[in-house]
Amino acid sequence: MNHETESMNQGRRDFLGAAAGVSAAAVAPGVFLHTPVANAAPRTDPVTDVHRWGLLVDTSKCADGCTACVDACDTENGLNLQAKPHGQDELKWENQHAVWIRKVKLQDNLTGHVTNLPLMCQHCEHPPCVDVCPTGASFKRADGIVMVDRHTCIGCRYCMMACPYKARSFIHEQVDHKLTRAPRGKGCVESCNLCAHRLDSGDVSTACAEACSAEGHQALIFGDLKDPMGPLRQALAKTPSRQIRQDLGLNTGVRYAGI
Amino acid sequence: MKRIVYREWLLQPQRYWGLLAILAAVIAIGGLSALYMEHHGHWVTGMTNSVVWGTPHVFAVFLIISASGALNIASIGTVFDKKVYKPLGRLSGLLAVALLIGGLLVLVLDLGRPDRLLVAMTTYNFSSIFAWNIFLYSGFAAIVIGYLWTMAERKGNYLQKPVGTFAFLWRLALTTGTGSIFGFLVGREAYDTAILAPLFVVMSFAYGLAIYMLVLFYTFDADGRPIGPAMLKRLKNLLGLFVSAVLYFTLIYHLTKLYGAKNADIETFLLISGGLYTGLFWVGWILIGGLLPLGIIYHPELSQRRDWIVAACAMVIVGGLAAMYVIIVGSQAYPQEMFPGYTVIQFGAPGDIGGQVASYYPSFPELLLGLGGVGVALLITAVGVRVLQFLPESLADRDVDPHATVRSSA
């Protein structure tokens, strides 16, 4: 009886050992790939205010006709998976599907100078969208990222009324395809979250800035506004920059040079 | 002043049930429309990421502010001791609750996730005026029901003044809160001004009274109850005062905006070049909702005639809906000005409207949902006056004695 139990236990130990080995082999590359860089915390830890993430857009480097940042954002956040509902008008759909970042082209009324720039959620320190949200679904993380908790968003769209940058999108249609890292559902509001899933995995980058660099433009610099030695603060120190709707005093996390 | 006797609405059964059937059909169609929009998503509506609040909000906000305005009649009787208004108080309270419920239903059914209403009722962010309004609206309904009890129940009569005063103050807060939903939005040129709060308050006075008068006339005519000419004159003069106040605050709103050079473009849009919105402003808000009713109300002959006063009330309501459309939809259609001194040549993909006026066409389901809310308000009123004693038997001058206040104070 005892021998039988022992041999059974041995068999179970062997099985568990093998299973653990297989699991470790399967998980290890993921762990290795997500090895924290730039002292980022594992994603189980709460976000702290040690960092404040932001962007600098150098409009002089933003190329006319280039949509690399928009395309990269679409792929990164599954925005390219949105499908136009059958029978919907093409132009109307352009104004109904979710857009997190858009290219804007401006002409100076006096001089005629043309400027290109990407426009996304400006990640304000004092975000109007967070102030007006009745349920607190629109919130600002400790690290300055403004985003939407899609479990408590009731789809009232008051944040969209309040946002001075037209940065938010309402999901007008049934969503059939989405990415795990960017959940999306009909009837909720969403906007750029500075690729929070990357940051939470320890990857200090955004898809848009990465794509802009890959194109060789370097018009988008992502980084920590609180790190004086970091690339963002270094770039901000060298270049005069301003905020869009600076008059509102929102202290945006996204700054622009050349406008 | 005689003792006021209240009686249930004695409309013939077939007419009454016919009325209820019509209202039930309107509500059912509104409900099906909401279901349709909820099932498919908002892409079936005219709403986009530029115009995020459409026709349902026009109806909802109109009904909600009218609700607080409808309560004014009761307040004038209770809070300001105008005895001649006392017989009108019960209907005023009932209509206030009914309009509020109708408006709130439309608002809730237009949410992206109406199934999460429980979240809205349990998770609050108190820096949001919307969150305050959830309390202001539900509190309003509760207080007015209590107020109605003090009016109807002899044992509660002594509480009428304090409860009525509280209800009056609450309703001022409610409409201020509703106006502030728009007034505190700093990112849109047409909003971002505190004057929207008092503008909404005076609008509520006018629209609430216009609806009240139409309901009063209809219910009284339907079962042959008299309304005396002095009472009629009093009500229409009050309407004239409120409509004038709306015009005054509208003027101040635009003068405030016009004074700042940075608002020149939005004012040009609203007043001159905005197409449908400019038309709705001048023809709907100002002419039909303001000048024409005033012309009738103060016309020496037309103002004596009930049918013309009814027309004036209807015009105020039509003008009110036009005003809401301009304030809510027109202000969103106008592109947000993020780059002063620049012309926006391109803003995202071609249909992704940012630098130009956004198009919005109300879809049928939106319109039907809005009308469904009106149906709910009228159904509650129709049932209320039928089963409970809300309507006085007579508003003939000899019964309500318009000079009672003068004599008692002399």
Side-chain angles (χ1 to χ4, degrees), chain B residues 146-161:
Chain B
Y147 185 25
L148 279 170
W149 178 80
T150 65
M151 284 191 261
E153 170 58 53
R154 203 176 298 246
K155 277 184 280 183
N157 275 173
Y158 75 102
L159 287 170
Q160 198 173 328
K161 180 118 185 177

Side-chain angles (χ1 to χ4, degrees), chain A residues 39-66:
Chain A
N39 71 20
R43 53 189 304 162
T44 45
D45 288 350
V47 171
T48 65
D49 61 359
V50 171
H51 310 286
R52 185 187 173 200
W53 304 111
L55 279 164
L56 170 65
V57 180
D58 187 342
T59 60
S60 64
K61 294 178 182 169
C62 182
D64 194 4
C66 171

Side-chain angles (χ1 to χ4, degrees), chain B residues 198-219:
Chain B
L199 175 65
F200 270 55
V201 172
V202 292
M203 280 175 157
S204 81
F205 288 172
Y207 309 155
L209 180 59
I211 294 173
Y212 180 91
M213 285 168 72
L214 286 186
V215 170
L216 183 76
F217 296 158
Y218 179 76
T219 49

Side-chain angles (χ1 to χ4, degrees), chain A residues 92 95-96 102-103 105 107 109 130 132-134 150 153-158 161 163 170 172 186, chain B residues 38-39 42 45 47 49 52-53 110 112-113 116 125 128 181 188 336 341 343 345-346 348 352-353:
Chain A
K92 194 172 172 188
N95 205 5
Q96 279 184 331
R102 46 169 68 90
K103 279 294 293 282
K105 192 193 282 193
Q107 185 165 37
N109 290 342
V130 172
V132 302
C133 177
R150 267 163 278 207
C153 174
I154 58 171
C156 73
R157 308 172 318 269
Y158 196 16
M161 293 289 283
C163 175
F170 179 66
H172 289 76
K186 181 184 75 180
Chain B
E38 161 66 7
H39 179 71
H42 273 62
T45 71
M47 288 175 250
N49 286 326
V52 300
W53 286 352
D110 185 50
R113 296 293 304 260
R116 288 187 179 166
N125 163 30
S128 166
I181 285 177
R188 289 183 187 266
Q336 289 176 275
T343 300
I345 304 172
Q346 187 197 327
D352 176 15
I353 295 167

